[in-house]
Amino acid sequence: MTTLLERAPVSAPGKTPRRSVTALFGIAVLVAGYTGFRLPGEWAATLQAVSLTDGFHRRFLVGTLLKPFGHDYLVFAVASFVVLGAVLAAAALAFFHSRTESRRLLIVAWLLLPTGGYLFHEVGYFDQVLYVLLFGALWALHRDRPVLASALMALSVTVHEIALLTVLPIFGFALLRKVPFRRACALLAPASVLGLGILALPPAAPGAVEELRRSLSTADFPYRVDALDLFERTQAESWRLYSITGVLLYLLPIALVVVGGFLFLHRPTLAAVVPAAAIGAPALLAFGGWDDARWGFLLITGFVVVLWLWLDQRELNLAQAGVLTALLLVLTHIPMPYFDGYAPRGLTLVTPVEDAR
């Protein structure tokens, strides 16, 4: 049986990256780290204290695993940097195992875009755990262990419900390139059903939020009350706190650039529908919350992952490389504000006189 998204790449011989490209990767990691590095914020630490055993029904996996170690900030910080290190390790493995320069340079570009600094800035956020699970699932799928891959994606929805619009569509695209349609649906079903079930449940049991507040009141960091408020609000109440239209208008240009750019590279065909949908799905997060820059980060990151998978052993031709370069240059102009009053560090030794006035 054939898969739904039949692949017909132009094969490229396997080769190790050139020293110049390897050096560029190292520089890109350093620049991204310098631009956005910070310690995990109180918001992230607060959410890492949420556990299933305390009566929380969403975003509970990380907190459940960390609960035996207590609520010390050091525990949350170490866990956050372990996850960030895992993401960087996955990016390094993808870089060195890539068989084409197009794939390698795509990873370098993602690190040099605002997304690179933002990755370091959002250390501790559950988005990074979602991508660690996605990379693990893609590895398992590559090793012909689809059941393990499906189980990892089922875990992702217990980390954060946004998995349904971020990593799960990408996993679906990867599945359709690997297995027949019915088999892909069967492997996607556990995560999809579990995720929808989690959304159908109340976010927390009665009294769970107040009990965690009392517990965190003796912690060695100032926990974020507003982070726990998320578990006491309905979605309708959350919508009254921000402008969905405003978030959509921020995300729309990014979505048009990444989806349109992919369709140009792929050429619009029926086979392009699934990857294009996987790329554009994070734009729907505008209906889930007000973190517009974070959703933009996930949009661009999803585009890079899908494009990396689609490239396989292809090398972009000159025209495609030119279009992708132009597209990435456009994305450098996307404002991606940081949380908690932070801002990206500039690559200069002093503040420009114009900014100091």
Side-chain angles (χ1 to χ4, degrees):
M1 296 181 68
T2 59
T3 59
L4 180 65
L5 302 181
E6 201 65 65
R7 293 173 293 173
V10 177
S11 296
K15 55 183 179 181
T16 57
R18 291 176 297 176
R19 288 184 179 179
S20 58
V21 178
T22 301
L24 190 58
F25 173 76
I27 292 170
V29 172
L30 291 175
V31 169
Y34 171 79
T35 301
F37 180 85
R38 67 151 173 166
L39 294 176
E42 287 83 9
W43 178 283
T46 301
L47 290 182
Q48 288 180 18
V50 169
S51 69
L52 181 63
T53 54
D54 287 328
F56 290 85
H57 305 143
R58 295 182 188 174
R59 311 179 193 182
F60 57 77
L61 180 62
V62 172
T64 303
L65 294 175
L66 294 180
K67 186 178 179 181
F69 301 100
H71 290 157
D72 293 337
Y73 177 78
L74 180 61
V75 171
F76 300 134
V78 169
S80 299
F81 283 119
V82 166
V83 173
L84 175 59
V87 174
L88 293 172
L93 287 172
F95 176 85
F96 287 105
H97 286 191
S98 293
R99 301 181 67 184
T100 65
E101 296 291 6
S102 296
R103 269 186 156 187
R104 296 185 189 109
L105 291 174
L106 180 65
I107 295 171
V108 170
W110 177 75
L111 288 166
L112 291 177
L113 286 172
T115 45
Y118 202 89
L119 171 71
F120 283 86
H121 167 69
E122 69 153 19
V123 59
Y125 276 74
F126 291 154
D127 310 348
Q128 299 186 357
V129 182
L130 294 181
Y131 278 100
V132 169
L133 290 172
L134 173 64
F135 298 149
L138 294 176
W139 173 86
L141 196 60
H142 177 70
R143 294 288 183 174
D144 292 322
R145 298 177 182 176
V147 175
L148 174 60
S150 178
L152 290 172
M153 295 316 298
L155 285 177
S156 72
V157 297
T158 68
V159 173
H160 201 302
E161 60 274 14
I162 65 170
L164 291 167
L165 292 173
T166 53
V167 296
L168 201 57
I170 297 174
F171 180 63
F173 167 60
L175 277 175
L176 289 171
R177 289 165 54 84
K178 185 79 172 178
V179 302
F181 179 74
R182 290 185 179 180
R183 176 70 168 156
C185 290
L187 292 169
L188 274 174
S192 302
V193 172
L194 180 58
L196 293 175
I198 286 174
L199 288 177
L201 292 172
V209 173
E210 187 56 38
E211 182 63 30
L212 185 57
R213 286 196 182 107
R214 283 196 293 270
S215 179
L216 290 178
S217 65
T218 60
D220 61 349
F221 69 96
Y223 78 95
R224 290 284 293 268
V225 175
D226 49 347
L228 295 182
D229 287 344
L230 293 172
F231 297 91
E232 294 185 312
R233 285 198 299 264
T234 65
Q235 191 60 53
E237 290 172 336
S238 293
W239 286 337
R240 289 196 286 269
L241 298 177
Y242 74 102
S243 168
I244 297 175
T245 302
V247 178
L248 280 172
L249 289 176
Y250 169 81
L251 295 175
L252 181 60
I254 305 175
L256 289 175
V257 169
V258 295
V259 174
F262 178 80
L263 290 177
F264 182 89
L265 295 173
H266 187 285
R267 299 298 183 186
T269 62
L270 183 61
V273 172
V274 173
I279 291 170
L284 297 176
L285 292 172
F287 296 95
W290 52 81
D291 290 347
D292 45 8
R294 185 173 158 217
W295 307 151
F297 165 77
L298 294 174
L299 255 175
I300 297 172
T301 300
F303 162 70
V304 169
V305 175
V306 169
L307 185 57
W308 188 89
L309 290 171
W310 174 77
L311 282 171
D312 200 12
Q313 296 184 44
R314 297 176 175 90
E315 280 285 15
L316 295 174
N317 60 39
L318 185 60
Q320 290 174 321
V323 169
L324 182 58
T325 300
L327 182 154
L328 295 173
L329 287 173
V330 171
L331 292 178
T332 63
H333 292 273
I334 298 295
M336 202 166 281
Y338 287 178
F339 294 114
D340 305 326
Y342 284 86
R345 296 182 184 89
L347 295 178
T348 55
L349 298 178
V350 296
T351 301
V353 173
E354 291 82 357
D355 289 345
R357 288 174 179 172

